[in-house]
Amino acid sequence: MKGESHDELHKWLYPHIELIESLSKAESTEQANKFITDIQASFSIYNQYF
C-alpha cells in the first residue's frame, strides 16, 4: 500500500495501537471493558473506510 491510502490507514492505525496498549495496562475489569468497547468501535470505523 502506498500513497494517500497508506497515509489514511496510519491515521486509523496509530490511535488503534494506543487503545491496544491501554488495554494491556488496564488495572481493572471495568477499565479493560471500556478499552474493549473502544477497540470494537475502532474496528467499526476501519470497516467503514477500508
Side-chain angles (χ1 to χ4, degrees):
M1 183 179 282
K2 295 181 181 180
E4 185 179 352
S5 57
H6 179 260
D7 296 340
E8 292 301 315
L9 175 62
H10 280 269
K11 289 179 185 178
W12 170 83
L13 185 60
Y14 290 135
H16 188 80
I17 290 171
E18 289 178 14
L19 287 171
I20 292 170
E21 289 173 351
S22 296
L23 175 60
S24 73
K25 297 174 185 174
E27 296 180 0
S28 69
T29 302
E30 292 81 16
Q31 192 177 40
N33 285 335
K34 193 226 183 274
F35 290 127
I36 290 169
T37 299
D38 292 345
I39 290 168
Q40 289 171 330
S42 177
F43 274 123
S44 292
I45 292 169
Y46 175 85
N47 288 329
Q48 278 184 319
Y49 295 100
F50 297 101

